[in-house]
Amino acid sequence: MIFDCDGVLIDSEAIAARCLVEAHREIGVEIDRDFVAEHYLGRSFPVVEKVVKRDFGVVLPAHFESRYRARLLEAYDIELRVMPGVVGVIEALGVPYSLATSSSPKRLAHSLSVVALDRYFEGRCVTASEVERGKPAPDIYLHVANRWNADPERCLVIEDSLVGVEAGLAAGMEVWRFVGGTHLSGVSRDMPRNARWHRQFASFDEFFHLEPSLKSRN
């Protein structure tokens, strides 16, 4: 079992989107939540630099990333919440599990600590900094499978973003899309051709109803 983090384990993407919009505005670039969802959701930070230069002709100032990350972590301290029901799922799992995220190691550590998930994922985390290509490339998920000596075909990925779904599918894994995060409220949940997930669910209370065999028998 491989969990994405932002938008799956923690309800963080709406907070990140707001902070990104504010950070862009400070450098004279106007974007909105829909732009963030289309271009940034599920991707690592270097994509921001490429998109801003390509679409707006603006080179990010040297302080942009550090200021954005500082603002984001401050917001997390106040607003970040664990996704309802996910702790119960983790505690009841009967299969090995890991975490694969596009977040930086510092952001991931801070996020897990704030919501007290760090004790569940110590030694189980992989970030995009460990692979050559970020999502939607399959690198991060294949890296997790290799680390656990697991056959990709026997891995289950839980993702919220379309690029994450694409990454899991490209790795040859089963992919379930979680759509219960606040950032997906009002967003289309239709299945595009390039991201045809196997199952979709909106609450972790549904999780073991979808596949009872994943639950521990103890």
Side-chain angles (χ1 to χ4, degrees):
M1 172 82 68
I2 309 174
F3 293 96
D4 176 43
C5 184
D6 293 287
V8 173
L9 296 174
I10 55 176
D11 203 0
S12 57
E13 292 290 13
I15 303 171
R18 187 188 72 235
C19 291
L20 270 173
V21 169
E22 293 170 355
H24 280 66
R25 185 175 298 124
E26 289 178 353
I27 61 170
V29 174
E30 291 293 333
I31 62 172
D32 57 18
R33 169 186 164 182
D34 291 340
F35 186 92
V36 172
E38 179 179 354
H39 296 282
Y40 299 152
L41 184 62
R43 300 177 186 270
S44 53
F45 187 84
V47 171
V48 175
E49 185 174 12
K50 294 177 182 178
V51 169
V52 170
K53 185 175 182 179
R54 181 195 69 202
D55 291 4
F56 302 97
V58 173
V59 176
L60 292 183
H63 61 72
F64 182 92
E65 182 176 0
S66 61
R67 288 188 180 179
Y68 159 67
R69 292 195 184 282
R71 172 187 280 134
L72 181 64
L73 297 187
E74 288 176 4
Y76 278 3
D77 287 340
I78 300 169
E79 304 173 50
L80 190 61
R81 301 291 183 271
V82 67
M83 205 65 75
V86 77
V87 170
V89 168
I90 294 169
E91 291 182 338
L93 277 175
V95 297
Y97 66 91
S98 185
L99 181 160
T101 178
S102 297
S103 289
S104 67
K106 181 179 179 179
R107 173 176 166 181
L108 174 64
H110 190 97
S111 301
L112 295 180
S113 176
V114 167
V115 297
L117 285 180
D118 46 348
R119 64 192 181 101
Y120 294 104
F121 288 96
E122 185 177 357
R124 299 176 182 268
C125 298
V126 172
T127 71
S129 65
E130 299 176 45
V131 295
E132 182 177 350
R133 300 176 299 169
K135 302 172 185 177
D139 300 29
I140 193 167
Y141 285 120
L142 293 174
H143 183 54
V144 173
N146 183 65
R147 179 172 170 179
W148 284 87
N149 196 28
D151 183 346
E153 293 184 359
R154 292 180 59 81
C155 294
L156 170 61
V157 170
I158 311 299
E159 268 284 0
D160 65 309
S161 70
L162 295 182
V163 293
V165 171
E166 288 182 56
L169 294 173
M173 300 178 178
E174 183 170 348
V175 181
W176 294 5
R177 190 185 185 200
F178 175 68
V179 294
T182 55
H183 65 297
L184 293 179
S185 176
V187 176
S188 173
R189 298 177 181 177
D190 294 338
M191 184 182 292
R193 292 182 179 180
N194 61 336
R196 303 187 69 81
W197 51 85
H198 295 86
R199 297 185 184 183
Q200 179 171 283
F201 66 108
S203 169
F204 277 98
D205 292 336
E206 307 172 38
F207 190 81
F208 291 119
H209 295 292
L210 294 173
E211 189 51 72
S213 66
L214 295 173
K215 192 172 185 179
S216 172
R217 295 181 181 180
N218 296 330

